[in-house]
Amino acid sequence: MTATGTLRNTSTNTLRDVLTRLEKERAGLGHFNVSDQVLLKAVVAAVAETKLPVVIGGSEGEREFFGVRQLAALVKSEREESDLPIFLNADHTHSLAKAIEAAKAGFDAVTIDFSALPFEENVARTKETVEAIRAINPAILAEGEIGDIGTGSEIKETAQGGKLTTPEEARQFVEATGIDNLAPAVGNMHGMLKSMVQGKAKKHLDLERISQIKQAAGVFLTLHGGSGTDDEHFRKAIAAGINIIHINTELRVAWRESLDKSLARDSIEVVPYKILRPVVDSVKQVVSSRLRLFQRQTVRRDAVESAIA
Ligand code: G3H
Ligand code: ZN
């Protein structure tokens, strides 16, 4: 018997298949951003260790640094060699041209992000982009965003984010754009406060709002800004209807801290793979622990009402 969320042989399973199966199991799918091959190796190592499916994300900035086609080629090669369920998302894509570029490069999903625009304009540009990327790959997963959860997977001085997404906005947006999954504002925020990095504070989500949005939208839901979220809130958010969880800053913090330590260990060490090996390992531990948390079925959706009361 396989563990919950465990899946092999990606050649016969699309990202949509995986999400449908995980939803039935009340499990979440981890999405982890990568800027370079050290982070990519860490995520792949975590998938090999846990045998759990994963989405690798590259934002516009991360894709620019990595190379769009280069990132797609590396992920494809990892997937083929290991036969593990590794998917690729063009995260926070702010233009039609960049979405088309990612779809043509073979990305499995695009996070179409016009959330900074007024609602009607967001609808129009998201719809146009959904149609364009589906014309390139009918199986591609198109995500749309509404609401303000701040920008940047960085360490921040003050909290960001604006008003929460309403269930009615979610319903209208999904209906008008035809997206496959929606990223709402439900108390989440991109990045971490210093107190969160120190483990003194946690993000808390509006679980009741997630339930209401799930009911109104009727599509997969993505939680952005996952870093620093309280573990119990993650579990309850999945039970309330969240399907994909984005984590980035936690990986960047582990990358930076372990790189500092590795460099400090020996001031005359100049062999990159000796310096970077412990960095891969530290980031892998963060990814593995989040993946295991997201697949734990400790809260059933029908129990969530009492959980959020
Ligand atoms: O799209 C990326 C994520 O939403 C990451 O957010 O840096 O707060 O984990 P985070
Ligand atoms: Zn995000």
Side-chain angles (χ1 to χ4, degrees), residues 9-182:
N9 190 7
T10 51
S11 52
T12 57
N13 287 281
T14 64
L15 178 52
R16 195 174 274 100
D17 293 336
V18 172
L19 281 167
T20 305
R21 189 176 60 83
L22 291 180
E23 179 152 76
K24 282 191 197 124
E25 295 173 356
R26 307 276 190 260
L29 178 61
H31 172 295
F32 302 93
N33 290 70
V34 301
S35 295
D36 73 351
Q37 215 184 342
V38 168
L39 288 149
L40 176 62
K41 278 173 91 68
V43 178
V44 171
V47 177
E49 182 177 270
T50 61
K51 304 287 185 289
L52 292 166
V54 80
V55 182
I56 287 176
S59 65
E60 284 188 357
E62 289 161 338
R63 300 200 303 268
E64 196 188 331
F65 187 71
F66 221 128
V68 177
R69 291 173 56 190
Q70 289 71 15
L71 175 57
L74 272 170
V75 170
K76 183 168 180 271
S77 136
E78 293 285 2
R79 177 155 56 185
E80 284 170 359
E81 190 174 272
S82 62
D83 200 22
L84 287 166
I86 303 168
F87 299 97
L88 182 59
N89 178 43
D91 202 12
H92 295 294
T93 302
H94 303 289
S95 73
L96 177 63
K98 297 252 184 232
I100 289 174
E101 182 186 35
K104 284 189 175 162
F107 280 58
D108 302 288
V110 178
T111 295
I112 303 163
D113 184 0
F114 294 114
S115 59
L117 299 176
F119 187 81
E120 290 308 327
E121 223 179 310
N122 185 2
V123 166
R125 298 198 51 190
T126 300
K127 184 174 187 288
E128 178 190 23
T129 310
V130 170
E131 286 164 5
I133 59 174
R134 285 214 185 112
I136 296 163
N137 172 11
I140 205 161
L141 207 84
E143 175 174 308
E145 291 203 40
I146 35 176
D148 175 16
I149 58 163
T151 56
S153 289
E154 293 159 351
I155 298 170
K156 295 171 177 170
E157 296 292 337
T158 50
Q160 291 181 329
K163 84 173 205 6
L164 302 187
T165 301
T166 68
E168 184 50 25
E169 276 169 348
R171 191 194 60 74
Q172 279 179 25
F173 191 74
V174 169
E175 208 175 274
T177 57
I179 51 169
D180 299 294
N181 51 321
L182 174 72

Side-chain angles (χ1 to χ4, degrees), residues 158-215:
T158 50
Q160 291 181 329
K163 84 173 205 6
L164 302 187
T165 301
T166 68
E168 184 50 25
E169 276 169 348
R171 191 194 60 74
Q172 279 179 25
F173 191 74
V174 169
E175 208 175 274
T177 57
I179 51 169
D180 299 294
N181 51 321
L182 174 72
V186 288
N188 45 336
M189 170 195 103
H190 279 123
M192 294 172 86
L193 300 176
K194 278 186 187 153
S195 54
M196 293 172 180
V197 176
Q198 292 158 351
K200 292 182 190 156
K202 297 280 179 198
K203 292 179 193 169
H204 293 105
L205 306 167
D206 189 330
L207 301 163
E208 195 170 357
R209 183 70 65 118
I210 294 171
S211 270
Q212 292 164 349
I213 291 174
K214 184 71 172 188
Q215 258 195 317

